[in-house]
Amino acid sequence: MKHILLVENHSVVRLATLFIIRDVLPVLTSWEADNFPDALQVVSAQKLDLILLDINIPDGEGFQMIGKFRRLQPDVPIMVFSAIDEEIYALHYLKAGANGFLSKSSSTQEIRTAIAAVLINGRYMSEIVQHALLSSNIPGARQGNPLTALSQRELEVMDLLLQGKWTKEIATFLNITGSSVSTYKARIFEKLGVTTVIELYQRVAALRE
């Protein structure tokens, strides 16, 4: 019997996802959490075979969530299952320690395949992620959407800026200095060709359309 935690704050999505999982694993024990603190409680109390993790959840901590799960259960497979841009974020979450990244726009069959792959082989990468990985290893191949040029830390700072966080708040949240936040902010602005947070918001919104 497999033990799975589904971290997702939309009840309809949880219901549909569990339906698909049970098609792959008819016999399983599942836990659900609609926010990050509750998810941590489950991971600290139950031995799990898989964590399916949405990123945009209440009290979520972005890339840091992977590390906190790992400190509680170092070997548990973690599959990010999210609506955030796969091409931009997937490699960063894999580098942060996730075993796979699956878009919520994936077909039912791809979801089944991904879950089975992670449980059997401990890794899953969609064709989009494989292409992004290949491109990242080819000098001069990173073109197109400038968001793909941002580092993991720059993406974290950018997302917090877009949430309206101030420099001091970002520094506290990421456990870095205020000067480091300012440095990352300057790099983000330069890479995206903007000079203010308002322009950043407009630029990112356009790039994600």
Side-chain angles (χ1 to χ4, degrees):
M1 178 181 289
K2 297 296 184 182
H3 299 79
I4 294 177
L5 168 63
L6 175 58
V7 188
E8 164 64 57
N9 64 311
H10 294 100
S11 58
V12 174
V13 177
R14 289 200 305 272
L15 182 63
T17 305
L18 283 173
F19 181 82
I20 295 172
I21 293 172
R22 291 185 183 279
D23 189 43
V24 179
L25 301 167
V27 180
L28 65 85
T29 300
S30 62
W31 288 267
E32 301 174 33
D34 61 8
N35 60 73
F36 185 52
D38 284 354
L40 282 176
Q41 287 187 2
V42 175
V43 178
S44 65
Q46 306 293 337
K47 178 63 176 176
L48 299 169
D49 296 297
L50 176 65
I51 298 174
L52 276 175
L53 173 66
D54 187 13
I55 298 305
N56 296 320
I57 54 174
D59 299 314
E61 298 181 10
F63 297 103
Q64 298 180 70
M65 292 191 287
I66 305 294
K68 291 190 175 182
F69 284 145
R70 287 273 176 250
R71 284 192 285 275
L72 292 169
Q73 293 196 40
D75 299 323
V76 63
I78 301 172
M79 170 84 78
V80 174
F81 184 50
S82 180
I84 61 176
D85 196 311
E86 186 175 12
E87 187 175 4
I88 295 168
Y89 286 89
L91 288 184
H92 292 291
Y93 275 100
L94 291 173
K95 289 177 182 177
N99 298 77
F101 188 106
L102 186 63
S103 171
K104 285 185 178 178
S105 62
S106 301
S107 67
T108 299
Q109 183 55 51
E110 185 173 4
I111 296 172
R112 292 193 190 102
T113 300
I115 292 171
V118 169
L119 287 172
I120 295 171
N121 302 317
R123 180 69 65 180
Y124 175 78
M125 288 190 290
S126 68
E127 291 185 6
I128 291 175
V129 176
Q130 292 178 45
H131 177 73
L133 180 62
L134 178 63
S135 297
S136 70
N137 291 321
I138 299 176
R142 296 182 79 178
Q143 300 176 358
N145 194 327
L147 290 174
T148 61
L150 299 182
S151 69
Q152 177 178 319
R153 184 63 89 187
E154 288 166 354
L155 281 171
E156 287 180 311
V157 172
M158 183 192 75
D159 287 341
L160 292 169
L161 286 170
L162 295 177
Q163 293 173 31
K165 304 293 186 183
W166 295 95
T167 297
K168 185 176 181 180
E169 293 177 293
I170 296 173
T172 299
F173 184 83
L174 296 178
N175 194 30
I176 58 178
T177 64
S179 61
S180 293
V181 173
S182 297
T183 298
Y184 287 122
K185 181 178 177 181
R187 291 177 185 170
I188 294 164
F189 280 15
E190 180 181 358
K191 289 180 179 180
L192 298 185
V194 300
T195 57
T196 67
V197 173
I198 293 176
E199 289 181 7
L200 176 66
Y201 185 89
Q202 294 169 338
R203 176 72 165 143
V204 172
L207 291 170
R208 287 177 171 170
E209 286 182 350

